[in-house]
């Protein structure tokens, strides 16, 4: 049987994504073949396509951090899962495919009846948001937080979960994202027109308790200035390394990959050494999952439960067929995308989990 997957053939723009038809993979011992219903498209995918993300695999590779699908075939030694069961995974790469083989331990059961595109929004974006709120910052009801990129995938997840936690929320966004941010309970700040540090101090007086900064670079330092004494910046991304979905510097992604991490480390050290008791702490979903896999599983199951009980409703910006992954990347590179872009498997454009 043939299947389709997307490969990145060289580092570069959306045209680096090619559609490949090949034999369907067979599960090895301990593996499960999953038919992908929905694969998330996120900025880390664009960064890998440009070769700038530290997790970028060697070329050629199939991108795709997160997926929701249906168990299709079991390799030898699989006892817990059954064909037809809906599952989710965070393989970090490989999800842009019709079929994927993954070790059983990577798969988390998805409750039946959930929409695959909404469910996949939880795997990378909402787990990231949930863990930053409750494991890194350990937020308490009534605290003030500033969320950068608040209309984006992770940003909108932080808003939705922050509202459930009873936080007072401010969110930077471009004007097109403002209504989404206020709809999710945040006060929008137009980062293109306003200095967010001045604006936060004007609105709050001494500053916020926590800033969630996925922008990275020197932006982290400005975020630190928006904190009250004793506050914390959770630094988790490098959105500033891209402009219009392409490498902002114009330099090769591979040479850039570790420079940004060194800047990160400098700011984290500075946060400890400088006066003001203002800390900068890093967050990485992939490292937390590698070091504490049970926490990833536990948090994703908690989020599926919230989705099933209609406590959260992820924003799905747009659904694209798998073969149009390049168009999905074009769209994500544009200003003002609200929520998560999702690739759906061939012929399953609006498929919901009914397994
Ligand atoms: N550490 C981790 O474990 C982890 C996990 C997931 C994601 N990430 C990182 O998180 C970041 C966000 O990912 P995503 O998938 O949520 O991206 P996304 O959906 O594209 O959202 C990014 C948002 O940032 C906004 N933005 C761009 N420049 C900005 C600035 N200077 N100030 C304020 N907002 C700005 C964009 O708004 P406009 O388009 O309206 O300008 C966009 O809404 C990325 O850097 C990604 O690598 C990290």
């Amino acid at each position: 049987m043939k299947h389709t997957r997307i490969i990145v053939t060289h580092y570069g723009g959306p045209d680096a994504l090619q559609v490949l038809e090949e034999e369907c993979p067979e599960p090895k011992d301990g593996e499960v073949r999953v038919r992908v219903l929905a694969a998330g498209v996120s900025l880390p995918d664009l960064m890998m396509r440009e070769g700038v993300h530290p997790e970028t695999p060697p070329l050629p590779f199939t991108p795709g951090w997160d997926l929701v699908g249906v168990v299709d075939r079991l390799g030898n030694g699989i006892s817990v899962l059954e064909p037809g069961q809906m599952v989710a995974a965070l393989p970090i790469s490989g999800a842009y495919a019709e079929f994927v083989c993954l070790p059983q331990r990577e798969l988390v059961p998805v409750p039946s009846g959930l929409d695959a595109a909404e469910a996949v929004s939880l795997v990378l974006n909402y787990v990231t948001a949930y863990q930053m709120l409750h494991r890194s910052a350990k937020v308490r009801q009534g605290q003030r937080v500033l969320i950068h990129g608040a209309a984006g995938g992770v940003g909108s997840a932080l808003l939705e979960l922050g509202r459930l936690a009873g936080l007072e929320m401010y969110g930077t966004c471009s004007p097109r994202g403002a209504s989404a941010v206020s709809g999710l309970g945040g006060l929008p700040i137009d980062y293109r027109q306003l200095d967010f540090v001045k604006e936060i101090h004007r609105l709050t007086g001494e500053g916020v308790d926590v800033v969630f900064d996925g922008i990275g670079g020197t932006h982290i330092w400005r975020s630190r200035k928006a904190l009250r004494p004793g506050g914390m910046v959770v630094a988790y991304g490098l959105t500033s390394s891209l402009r219009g979905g392409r490498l902002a510097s114009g330099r090769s992604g591979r040479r850039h990959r570790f420079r940004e991490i060194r800047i990160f480390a400098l700011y984290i050290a500075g946060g400890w050494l400088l006066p003001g008791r203002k800390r900068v702490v890093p967050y990485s979903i992939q490292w937390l999952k590698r070091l504490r896999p049970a926490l990833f599983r536990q948090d994703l199951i908690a989020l599926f439960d919230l989705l099933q009980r209609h406590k959260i409703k992820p924003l799905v910006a747009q659904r694209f067929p798998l073969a149009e992954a390049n168009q999905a990347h074009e769209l994500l590179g544009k200003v003002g995308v609200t929520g998560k872009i999702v690739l759906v498997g061939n012929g399953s454009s609006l498929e919901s989990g009914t397994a």
Side-chain angles (χ1 to χ4, degrees):
M1 185 172 66
K2 297 276 186 198
H3 90 132
T4 302
R5 73 180 166 105
I6 305 296
I7 52 166
V8 174
T9 51
H10 59 277
Y11 299 134
D15 63 341
L17 299 171
Q18 303 290 323
V19 180
L20 180 74
E21 267 224 7
E22 62 176 11
E23 280 306 310
C24 210
E26 288 300 325
K28 300 190 187 84
D29 293 355
E31 282 189 348
V32 174
R33 187 166 78 191
V34 176
R35 180 166 66 86
V36 178
L37 296 176
V41 176
S42 52
L43 271 195
D45 294 332
L46 271 63
M47 290 176 185
M48 282 189 175
R49 190 201 68 212
E50 293 282 355
V52 75
H53 199 284
E55 298 286 335
T56 310
L59 292 168
F61 68 92
T62 294
W65 274 66
D66 49 352
L67 65 88
V68 161
V70 171
V71 172
D72 174 66
R73 181 172 285 190
L74 306 179
N76 290 328
I78 304 295
S79 50
V80 185
L81 296 165
E82 287 176 5
Q85 198 173 341
M86 197 162 161
V87 288
L90 183 87
I92 298 181
S93 63
Y96 289 14
E98 270 185 274
F99 290 92
V100 179
C101 292
L102 291 168
Q104 173 174 249
R105 65 174 180 279
E106 291 288 325
L107 300 174
V108 178
V110 178
S112 61
L114 296 186
D115 173 75
E118 289 186 358
V120 82
S121 304
L122 304 190
V123 183
L124 175 62
N125 289 353
Y126 275 67
V127 171
T128 296
Y130 185 91
Q131 294 191 326
M132 289 196 295
L133 285 164
H134 298 293
R135 301 206 180 275
S136 304
K138 298 187 171 59
V139 291
R140 295 185 308 278
Q141 186 172 10
Q143 282 191 316
R144 288 175 171 152
V145 301
L146 170 62
I147 296 163
H148 290 299
V154 177
S156 59
L158 278 164
L159 282 173
E160 223 191 352
L161 296 172
R163 180 159 62 182
L164 279 184
L167 304 179
E168 184 179 314
M169 302 183 292
Y170 302 87
T172 57
C173 58
S174 57
R176 281 178 61 187
S179 60
V181 171
S182 46
L184 291 168
L187 195 136
I189 298 174
D190 179 354
Y191 72 92
R192 288 161 189 266
Q193 299 296 331
L194 296 169
D195 176 335
F196 73 83
V197 179
K198 282 192 190 147
E199 192 59 7
I200 284 294
H201 285 290
R202 185 183 74 77
L203 291 163
T204 66
E206 65 169 359
V208 292
D209 297 283
V210 187
V211 182
F212 297 97
D213 189 320
I215 311 298
T218 52
H219 199 268
I220 298 174
W221 214 238
R222 295 184 57 225
S223 291
R224 190 177 177 275
K225 290 184 179 160
L227 290 175
R228 66 161 177 75
M232 173 192 290
V233 177
V234 182
Y236 70 100
L238 290 170
T239 298
S240 59
S241 64
L242 298 183
R243 192 164 302 129
R246 300 298 316 270
L247 260 192
S249 69
R251 274 192 264 166
S252 138
R254 199 193 297 226
R255 279 171 48 206
H256 236 238
R257 212 173 286 173
F258 298 101
R259 179 179 166 271
E260 298 286 353
I261 292 176
R262 284 199 297 272
I263 294 176
F264 239 138
L266 202 66
Y267 285 139
I268 290 162
W272 283 103
L273 298 172
L274 291 171
R277 296 180 296 111
K278 297 178 179 182
R279 280 183 299 150
V280 178
V281 299
Y283 169 81
S284 157
I285 190 171
Q286 66 271 25
W287 278 106
L288 194 52
K289 177 170 170 269
R290 280 176 191 133
L291 297 171
R292 307 279 304 275
L295 287 189
F296 172 79
R297 180 171 282 270
Q298 181 185 325
D299 294 343
L300 183 54
I301 288 170
L303 288 164
F304 284 143
D305 182 57
L306 289 176
L307 181 59
Q308 204 174 27
R309 290 191 290 122
H310 306 290
K311 297 280 185 196
I312 52 175
K313 175 87 179 152
L315 296 175
V316 177
Q318 198 162 326
R319 301 167 198 236
F320 285 87
L322 175 63
E324 292 175 16
N326 55 350
Q327 289 176 40
H329 275 220
E330 287 279 4
L331 178 65
L332 189 60
K334 288 187 180 147
V335 170
V337 176
T338 307
K340 180 90 170 175
I341 297 174
V342 179
L343 298 177
V344 288
N346 284 347
S348 66
S349 59
L350 291 173
E351 191 161 354
S352 296
T354 50

